[in-house]
Amino acid sequence: MNTQRDSLRRIIDKWLAPTPAAPVRNIRLCRMQGSHIRYIRVEALRSTGVLALFFFRHDDGSWQVFPPEVVSMVMSPHRFAM
């Protein structure tokens, strides 16, 4: 896996390859309820219709097309048994 962090603009260019004839036309910043994971929905117009992709912000600052793993708080009796 590439650990180099690319800018969001570069990742959008890589995945959607916008051109003057087929530009990226809608970008919306959102947060998932509950986990507050940030993501961006990007739309591009294609000859077959609208193509929409979601890019998720990870804890290391990178943007990926898959959501980060949600780490939930867990209480363990083993921690307090000492």
Side-chain angles (χ1 to χ4, degrees), residues 2 16 33-35 45 56-57 64-65 67-71 73:
N2 184 6
L16 296 173
Q33 290 184 355
S35 64
L45 188 58
F56 296 89
R57 183 71 167 195
Q64 305 291 335
V65 292
E69 183 177 325
V70 177
V71 178
M73 302 278 295

Side-chain angles (χ1 to χ4, degrees), residues 21-82:
V24 169
R25 68 177 204 161
N26 190 358
I27 297 177
R28 185 172 29 179
L29 177 62
C30 306
R31 282 186 184 260
M32 296 175 84
Q33 290 184 355
S35 64
H36 299 288
I37 294 172
R38 292 180 290 174
Y39 66 93
I40 291 181
R41 183 177 190 266
V42 180
E43 291 182 359
L45 188 58
R46 298 289 187 245
S47 60
T48 56
V50 175
L51 172 65
L53 288 176
F54 294 87
F55 296 93
F56 296 89
R57 183 71 167 195
H58 286 245
D59 290 339
D60 66 356
S62 66
W63 291 93
Q64 305 291 335
V65 292
F66 56 89
E69 183 177 325
V70 177
V71 178
S72 58
M73 302 278 295
V74 178
M75 289 187 67
S76 171
H78 302 290
R79 180 176 176 204
F80 300 109
M82 305 247 175

